[in-house]
Amino acid sequence: MEYPKFTQEHKSLMAKYLTKDVFDSLKDKKTVNGFTISDVVNSGVQNPDSGIGAYAGDEESYTTFAPFFDPIIEEYHGFTKNDKHQSDLNPDNLDAKNPDPDNKFIVSTRIRVGRNVDNMPLGPAITKEQRDEIEKVVSTTLSSLEGSLKGKYFPLDGMSKEDQDALIKDHFLFKEGDRFLETAGLNRNWPLGRGIYHNTEKTFLVWVNEEDQLRIISMQQGGDIKEVFTRLTTAIGELEKKMKFSFNEHLGYITSCPTNLGTAMRASVHIAVPKLAADMEKFKAICDKHHLQIRGIHGEHSESEGGVYDISNKRRLGVTEVQCVQDMYDGVVELIKVEKSLA
Ligand code: ADP
Ligand code: ILO
């Protein structure tokens, strides 16, 4: 196993922390699922424009390769190896009155969490049989949901290209052929074992076997962030009655990308702030102050359209779910205030 050849283009946290010494100390190690440090860093090596550039193959990757992962986790989340994660999924603790009741700025709100099944490898190291088994268990569990969460599972295999494209365009379904996931080993056997569950209104959705085994999603038009959070936490509670997810006291919910550890939560709005966005520096400064990330409106690594941006919490580990949403909410309140002042 060779130390990767990094160029000036490699700016990821992976390239920063995979020093030759760290690599040499880890190159002969393997997790129980046969995952190596080369597997962990392949996506970032092949995609120099990665921001992070590393994926875990299983929960054990985070301990076996701790000298590599710990500093990345510390820099991204501000969370040290001695810290303990805490969870709070109680919507009563969230102070989030709709910041845009006239629907002038917030187009839509979406909150998702990643989950992986306990005692299974994560996507990058999973076998086809294990992935298919997860699809079976998860789709069966989902089909037992009642009330407003009741819906249907649609496997990707057999879905028409038009249906798939329409779901992607309308922000409901994951994209196909993501090069970061491809080189992480997450697209093996595509499209088998993958699919999407949703209720009739498409306000509650679950992605199956994309980057994580489950992405549990609550979304709707407008800015009622609390309603979106409440629906999500209800759904998580229902699923947890029937399935056990991979979780530990230090890292919280275990995910394949270290950015998602902890709450595995990304709470976002699509928000129109064209005037503020004309001054990118100011826009970024407000987002940084509230620990927010700016994405384009077709997901990560996409561009804004018409001054609409995807604004979401950046911190996910060492903060509770309520705090993740509160970060987003507080930032959005300030963004709206500043956008209004520029009118
Ligand atoms: P993830 O949220 O899983 O990290 P992406 O950034 O790729 O991944 O987003 C997934 C999809 O969700 C994309 O189609 C994106 O446009 C959509 N999305 C994200 N936030 C919102 C939102 N607030 N309203 C509507 N769609 C959203
Ligand atoms: N591997 C990509 C994405 C990192 C964070 N996003 C996700 C979807 N996990 C990168 O390093 O830029």
Side-chain angles (χ1 to χ4, degrees):
M1 193 184 292
E2 297 273 310
Y3 183 64
K5 288 191 180 59
F6 292 123
T7 66
Q8 296 285 343
E9 309 303 310
H10 285 89
K11 301 237 162 56
S12 62
L13 293 184
M14 178 279 291
K16 178 170 172 185
Y17 290 111
L18 191 73
T19 61
K20 177 88 169 63
D21 283 353
V22 168
F23 179 82
D24 285 341
S25 74
L26 299 176
K27 70 180 191 322
D28 298 323
K29 300 196 180 218
K30 251 186 193 173
T31 69
V32 64
N33 298 295
F35 219 63
T36 66
I37 189 68
S38 284
D39 298 324
V40 167
V41 303
N42 191 54
S43 185
V45 172
Q46 305 293 335
N47 296 287
D49 56 338
S50 295
I52 311 300
Y55 291 87
D58 37 34
E59 180 172 353
E60 200 190 318
S61 298
Y62 288 110
T63 43
T64 305
F65 307 116
F68 167 71
F69 274 118
D70 284 347
I72 292 185
I73 292 169
E74 183 164 349
E75 179 160 336
Y76 185 87
H77 297 279
F79 183 86
T80 75
K81 58 182 182 202
N82 302 317
D83 289 335
K84 243 182 166 183
H85 179 67
Q86 278 175 27
S87 178
D88 179 4
L89 281 158
N90 184 351
D92 293 343
N93 297 334
L94 180 69
D95 179 14
K97 187 164 149 270
N98 188 343
D100 181 30
D102 301 327
N103 293 322
K104 288 206 172 111
F105 303 93
I106 301 178
V107 180
S108 51
T109 303
R110 173 181 183 267
I111 311 181
R112 61 84 166 156
V113 293
R115 291 289 185 268
N116 290 280
V117 178
D118 197 33
N119 282 321
M120 275 281 187
L122 297 166
I126 206 161
T127 65
K128 180 179 181 306
E129 291 68 33
Q130 288 168 323
R131 192 190 305 107
D132 290 348
E133 175 63 20
I134 287 174
E135 182 190 34
K136 211 160 91 193
V137 170
V138 173
S139 57
T140 307
T141 305
L142 287 168
S143 69
S144 70
L145 292 176
E146 301 282 356
S148 62
L149 303 179
K150 192 175 171 62
K152 202 172 162 217
Y153 178 68
F154 302 88
L156 210 54
D157 186 32
M159 188 183 288
S160 74
K161 177 98 178 69
E162 295 79 64
D163 286 352
Q164 190 181 343
D165 288 349
L167 284 169
I168 294 171
K169 187 176 141 285
D170 294 337
H171 309 288
F172 296 123
L173 181 62
F174 45 86
K175 293 182 271 197
E176 183 168 336
D178 182 281
R179 64 191 159 92
F180 300 90
L181 300 189
E182 179 69 34
T183 41
L186 274 156
N187 291 348
R188 288 169 300 126
N189 314 110
W190 190 279
L192 303 177
R194 279 82 176 183
I196 182 173
Y197 171 94
H198 62 75
N199 64 0
T200 327
E201 301 79 34
K202 299 201 188 83
T203 53
F204 169 62
L205 306 96
V206 180
W207 293 357
V208 179
N209 285 323
E210 195 243 5
E211 180 176 312
D212 289 304
Q213 288 152 9
L214 293 91
R215 282 283 170 95
I216 309 171
I217 302 163
S218 169
M219 65 195 284
Q220 67 193 43
Q221 298 295 302
D224 195 338
I225 295 168
K226 193 157 178 157
E227 185 168 290
V228 174
F229 184 62
T230 304
R231 183 187 304 112
L232 179 73
T233 56
T234 305
I236 295 172
E238 286 304 312
L239 292 175
E240 278 188 334
K241 284 183 197 159
K242 300 164 200 239
M243 302 188 62
K244 192 160 183 320
F245 298 125
S246 182
F247 177 90
N248 76 47
E249 292 226 315
H250 171 50
L251 294 177
Y253 288 99
I254 302 300
T255 55
S256 59
C257 178
T259 64
N260 283 321
L261 289 165
T263 59
M265 173 172 282
R266 193 168 85 86
S268 67
V269 289
H270 278 181
I271 184 168
V273 283
K275 296 194 180 68
L276 174 57
D279 184 350
M280 243 326 155
E281 221 170 284
K282 188 167 174 185
F283 184 23
K284 279 207 176 109
I286 297 174
C287 290
D288 284 349
K289 180 174 138 198
H290 293 280
H291 312 285
L292 301 180
Q293 191 180 56
I294 306 173
R295 295 186 180 185
I297 60 155
H298 293 290
E300 194 170 27
H301 312 111
S302 74
E303 299 297 320
S304 157
E305 277 173 24
V308 179
Y309 290 83
D310 172 330
I311 302 296
S312 63
N313 62 296
K314 182 163 185 265
R315 305 187 295 178
R316 309 194 220 288
L317 174 63
V319 288
T320 67
E321 290 82 356
V322 166
Q323 283 169 318
C324 290
V325 183
Q326 201 69 57
D327 275 353
M328 188 271 271
Y329 179 82
D330 294 345
V332 164
V333 168
E334 183 166 353
L335 291 173
I336 292 177
K337 192 169 139 208
V338 175
E339 182 70 12
K340 273 185 182 161
S341 75
L342 296 171

